[in-house]
Amino acid sequence: MNINHHLDEATLISYSAGALSQGMALVVATHISICDQCRQLAEANDALGGALLESLESEKVGDTMLANLLSQLDDQPSEIVTLAPVKRDPEIPAPLSDYIDGSLDQLEWKRIVPGVAYYDMPWEGRGVSRLLRIAPGKSMLAHTHDGNELTMVLRGSFSDEVGRFCRGDVADLDDQIEHQPLVDSEEDCICLIATDAPLRFTTLFGKLVQPITGF
């Protein structure tokens, strides 16, 4: 568990190794796109991985195989494609903007309870990957985890048993923590979250709504 508002080193190593689920990897990519400290650590991990690959004994490629490959590349038609510049919402970091059309306020939010809504990422896979929107003064249902949870703040702020998290901060939590995030900003708090296992709600109401929300 990391409580300093940055990604845990183990999470960054798993990201560089390609071992994270799509949802967890998106949170990491989104965070390191605006966090110099975590980006530098990720780049160092990538460089280390590259050095390890270079240290492995390379397999020789036959002359015929190489000639055939170069011939196939020469046969491909040359075409220059000009892409129109993409206008991005400055509130949405680049990795996340590839999955969101428009602004955060234009999404089709699904309400869980008054003041709490979510938006699912457009894919299926291990765990849960979604945006969570909570109104000022409202809180998420108290829960713990069967696995890991990454939460990055995109707007507003929240506080829980771990600390206070503002825009750009990330909570990298494991199954050792039980918490209940409370929005302490004057605007809605919007977070990108990903889990690799279902949450375990610790209140009766949370257990009742879990089958509906998919958390």
Side-chain angles (χ1 to χ4, degrees), residues 71-103:
S71 176
Q72 292 177 22
L73 293 176
D74 291 338
D75 291 340
Q76 297 299 317
S78 177
E79 181 179 354
I80 298 177
V81 179
T82 302
L83 299 177
V86 178
K87 186 177 181 180
R88 300 185 184 275
D89 186 331
E91 186 178 29
I92 305 174
L96 179 60
S97 66
D98 292 336
Y99 302 94
I100 295 179
D101 185 15
S103 70

Side-chain angles (χ1 to χ4, degrees), residues 81-213:
V81 179
T82 302
L83 299 177
V86 178
K87 186 177 181 180
R88 300 185 184 275
D89 186 331
E91 186 178 29
I92 305 174
L96 179 60
S97 66
D98 292 336
Y99 302 94
I100 295 179
D101 185 15
S103 70
L104 295 174
D105 294 316
Q106 294 172 331
L107 296 175
E108 295 183 2
W109 295 93
K110 299 178 181 179
R111 192 178 77 162
I112 304 174
V113 295
V116 182
Y118 69 94
Y119 175 82
D120 281 326
M121 291 290 100
W123 63 71
E124 295 181 359
R126 175 166 51 94
V128 170
S129 177
R130 58 181 39 156
L131 294 169
L132 189 65
R133 183 171 191 161
I134 305 178
K138 297 289 185 177
S139 63
M140 179 60 181
L141 299 172
H143 64 276
T144 184
H145 315 87
D146 285 328
N148 297 305
E149 177 188 83
L150 292 178
T151 301
M152 177 180 170
V153 180
L154 301 173
R155 178 193 295 177
S157 63
F158 72 85
S159 297
D160 63 7
E161 289 76 359
V162 177
R164 186 169 188 262
F165 297 83
C166 302
R167 174 172 166 78
D169 290 340
V170 63
D172 190 344
L173 306 179
D174 56 23
D175 58 2
Q176 301 301 308
I177 187 70
E178 178 180 336
H179 64 147
Q180 184 175 16
L182 170 68
V183 174
D184 56 8
S185 55
E186 296 182 355
E187 61 181 342
D188 288 356
C189 182
I190 299 180
C191 299
L192 173 64
I193 69 170
T195 63
D196 57 13
L199 304 184
R200 280 192 291 118
F201 292 106
T202 54
T203 63
L204 177 60
F205 181 71
K207 295 174 182 179
L208 292 175
V209 301
Q210 184 165 18
I212 301 174
T213 64

Side-chain angles (χ1 to χ4, degrees), residues 6 15 19 21 35 38 43 51 55 62 69-71 101 131 171 184 187 213:
H6 294 285
Y15 174 73
S21 66
C35 175
C38 290
E43 291 173 350
S55 67
L69 177 60
L70 294 176
S71 176
D101 185 15
L131 294 169
D184 56 8
E187 61 181 342
T213 64

Side-chain angles (χ1 to χ4, degrees), residues 16-17 42-56:
S16 295
E43 291 173 350
N45 290 334
D46 291 342
L48 178 60
L52 290 174
L53 287 175
E54 290 180 358
S55 67
L56 298 177

